[in-house]
Amino acid sequence: MPFDLLTLFEETETALTRWDEGDESAAEAFAKRILSLRPAHVSGTGYRLYQEDAVARYAQWILNMNRELGIVPCVEALYQFSGQFWPSDTPTLTEDQVDTVFQMADQVFCYTQKVSPAQPIEVLLFDAQHETLNGETTAVFMPDGIRGCICMYRMREERLSPIPVLLHELGHLLHIRETGGMGQVPSSFVTYLRCLGAQTDALSIPQLQDVFADTFMLAVMSRYPELEPPIPGLLEQAFKASYEYMSTLLDGMTSFDRLL
């Protein structure tokens, strides 16, 4: 039986309640159980796709990424995470769409070879709607390169296609790979926006990161005019400028191996 969001919510709640009551082994037992699971996935070129076992794989990510914080904060984070969803029948990403998006990004920019040549990017499909997000991206840097994890949820709008959302998340992974951290954007991107007349000083880092991710999305979609962009009213110049910037950025990227 799949380890779903409800199960995650209930098990983390139980572990935290027992810990509050003095059973300090409860959180540790929960973590050991999760880390012993072997979530099923489908492999594609440059990615691994988790569907029924997406929740279990996400829990493993949180536990592995935050070991230094201790088990209890990780369990608390998972408890908070699992409480942010509800059932929905809005559009969801399919296995075929995931493969299509990666093919598009690779055909236009050799994306996976530039961003994550040593480790497949993990895509986790959640069969539920998040209260504020359509998707989110996180990553860690390992000795052999970046390891990226993209969570995709059911869309918050009925009309929204998941394809540009996944492209947007690949854009987030790109700026993480390029800057080496979760809290920055490439300095060249700020220069690019200023050349377009944008008031970058008025934007926060998260806002700049979202604009960067949208720029990557538009750059890829500029080569696939049959796809409808989620941002209405864009001029052709916006697609052209996005493609030119991303081409320059990706062409100039040094492979991770040579940075070691």
Side-chain angles (χ1 to χ4, degrees), residues 179-200:
T179 63
M182 299 288 292
Q184 303 175 59
V185 292
S187 58
S188 64
F189 185 64
V190 177
T191 302
Y192 160 78
L193 290 180
R194 287 173 177 166
C195 289
L196 295 178
Q199 300 298 315
T200 58

Side-chain angles (χ1 to χ4, degrees), residues 119-245:
Q119 296 285 348
I121 298 165
E122 298 192 12
V123 180
L124 281 51
L125 301 188
F126 291 76
D127 187 18
Q129 184 176 328
H130 190 277
E131 62 183 8
T132 60
L133 301 171
N134 292 309
E136 57 186 321
T137 298
T138 189
V140 293
F141 285 90
M142 307 295 287
D144 59 350
I146 193 172
R147 297 189 68 178
C149 178
I150 296 174
C151 296
M152 289 290 298
Y153 314 126
R154 283 189 174 271
M155 300 295 97
R156 297 178 64 241
E157 299 178 24
E158 188 67 43
R159 63 172 184 82
L160 185 59
S161 168
I163 288 178
V165 175
L166 180 54
L167 285 170
H168 176 95
E169 296 306 324
L170 290 178
H172 279 306
L173 189 59
L174 173 58
H175 71 64
I176 295 169
R177 159 65 177 83
E178 175 65 4
T179 63
M182 299 288 292
Q184 303 175 59
V185 292
S187 58
S188 64
F189 185 64
V190 177
T191 302
Y192 160 78
L193 290 180
R194 287 173 177 166
C195 289
L196 295 178
Q199 300 298 315
T200 58
D201 292 340
L203 298 176
S204 66
I205 292 297
Q207 288 173 326
L208 285 169
Q209 290 175 332
D210 271 338
V211 177
F212 181 96
D214 279 345
T215 301
F216 177 79
M217 173 194 71
L218 294 177
V220 175
M221 294 184 75
S222 71
R223 296 305 183 238
Y224 296 90
E226 68 275 13
L227 297 176
E228 182 179 352
I231 306 172
L234 287 174
L235 299 176
E236 182 63 29
Q237 183 61 30
F239 290 94
K240 181 180 178 182
S242 297
Y243 177 77
E244 289 176 350
Y245 171 76

Side-chain angles (χ1 to χ4, degrees), residues 10-24:
E10 292 175 343
E11 290 202 13
T12 52
E13 183 179 47
T14 298
L16 292 171
T17 298
R18 289 174 57 189
W19 185 80
D20 286 338
E21 293 171 348
D23 183 359
E24 298 183 0

Side-chain angles (χ1 to χ4, degrees), residues 114 177-178 245-255 258:
K114 290 282 188 176
R177 159 65 177 83
E178 175 65 4
Y245 171 76
M246 286 298 167
S247 292
T248 301
L249 177 70
L250 283 146
D251 287 347
M253 284 178 63
T254 303
S255 72
R258 291 187 304 195

Side-chain angles (χ1 to χ4, degrees), residues 23-117:
D23 183 359
E24 298 183 0
S25 67
E28 187 72 34
F30 167 81
K32 286 182 178 179
R33 179 171 115 68
I34 295 300
L35 293 174
S36 70
L37 298 175
R38 295 293 179 265
H41 65 270
V42 175
S43 293
T45 303
Y47 68 88
R48 285 185 189 146
L49 174 62
Y50 295 81
Q51 298 185 74
E52 287 192 351
D53 289 338
V55 176
R57 185 57 183 154
Y58 179 81
Q60 291 179 339
W61 262 89
I62 295 301
L63 291 167
N64 281 317
M65 285 179 59
N66 299 287
R67 288 177 182 272
E68 71 280 2
L69 299 178
I71 296 297
V72 172
C74 291
V75 176
E76 289 175 338
L78 289 169
Y79 174 69
Q80 294 295 328
F81 173 80
S82 60
Q84 296 177 330
F85 293 88
W86 52 79
S88 172
D89 60 0
T90 53
T92 186
L93 197 66
T94 67
E95 183 176 332
D96 286 345
Q97 287 174 326
V98 172
D99 195 59
T100 294
V101 167
F102 274 84
Q103 286 187 39
M104 289 165 55
D106 281 342
Q107 287 172 3
V108 177
F109 291 125
C110 297
Y111 179 90
T112 54
Q113 284 302 307
K114 290 282 188 176
V115 175
S116 187

